[in-house]
Amino acid sequence: MDVWVTLGLILAVLGVAISIYYGRKQGRPQPSRRPKIAVRVTNNIPVYDLPGGRQELGDHFVAVEAVNTGEQAITITGWGIELPDGRGVFVTRPPNWATRLPHELRPGAAPARLLIPADDLRRINQDDNIAFDDMRPYIDLADGTNVYADRPVPLA
């Protein structure tokens, strides 16, 4: 009789283990691991403090800012402005006060700020006859995801 009880216990444990394995394998809902990031685009004109309390306006930039609203760190690897014909506009020499890439953006950290001179976008608007509303800023994440800004380039 002891052999049958032992065999029964072994089969019961094996059955529980198999059901746990197949339950996980069947794809029970897991918490979302997708990054949560808000990308917005704004105008940005730096103000420089000069001796004697004076201030001077700097050049006009379009800023693409990314905020991590999720629970896990993300890495921004690139960014640009997508044009309607499939081309992209990229910044090869950002100003020294822009966020350097790649950049790890932790939840609750200060936004990553990526900048392009507004005059570069105005030149594309005039030379290629592309409307600012057709210029879509985006960021690239290390996992291959592209996240577009909340609106097109805010120039007129």
Side-chain angles (χ1 to χ4, degrees):
M1 225 16 143
D2 288 329
V3 172
W4 293 111
V5 171
T6 304
L7 185 59
L9 285 174
I10 290 172
L11 290 174
V13 169
L14 186 59
V16 169
I18 289 172
S19 70
I20 290 172
Y21 172 78
Y22 280 108
R24 287 187 183 157
K25 192 171 182 172
Q26 292 299 320
R28 287 196 177 142
Q30 298 292 322
S32 174
R33 303 300 288 169
R34 292 193 64 185
K36 294 182 182 175
I37 186 163
V39 180
R40 64 181 182 185
V41 60
T42 60
N43 286 293
N44 199 297
I45 302 174
V47 177
Y48 299 100
D49 291 328
L50 300 175
R54 294 186 5 236
Q55 293 184 322
E56 183 176 301
L57 293 178
D59 293 331
H60 182 186
F61 290 88
V62 170
V64 177
E65 296 179 340
V67 176
N68 186 343
T69 59
E71 298 175 0
Q72 60 187 3
I74 59 169
T75 300
I76 301 171
T77 57
W79 76 284
I81 309 287
E82 183 180 87
L83 302 177
D85 60 5
R87 290 181 299 150
V89 180
F90 307 97
V91 176
T92 56
R93 287 191 277 179
N96 63 359
W97 46 279
T99 302
R100 298 286 181 224
L101 298 180
H103 176 71
E104 182 179 70
L105 187 57
R106 297 192 170 275
R113 181 172 291 138
L114 309 160
L115 302 158
I116 185 168
D119 285 343
D120 290 358
L121 298 174
R122 286 189 186 102
R123 202 170 5 266
I124 292 168
N125 168 258
Q126 291 175 349
D127 294 349
D128 297 343
N129 198 30
I130 296 175
F132 296 117
D133 284 344
D134 293 332
M135 298 180 187
R136 299 183 59 205
Y138 66 91
I139 63 165
D140 296 320
L141 301 180
D143 69 358
T145 305
N146 289 352
V147 182
Y148 287 90
D150 59 343
R151 63 187 180 136
V153 168
L155 297 175

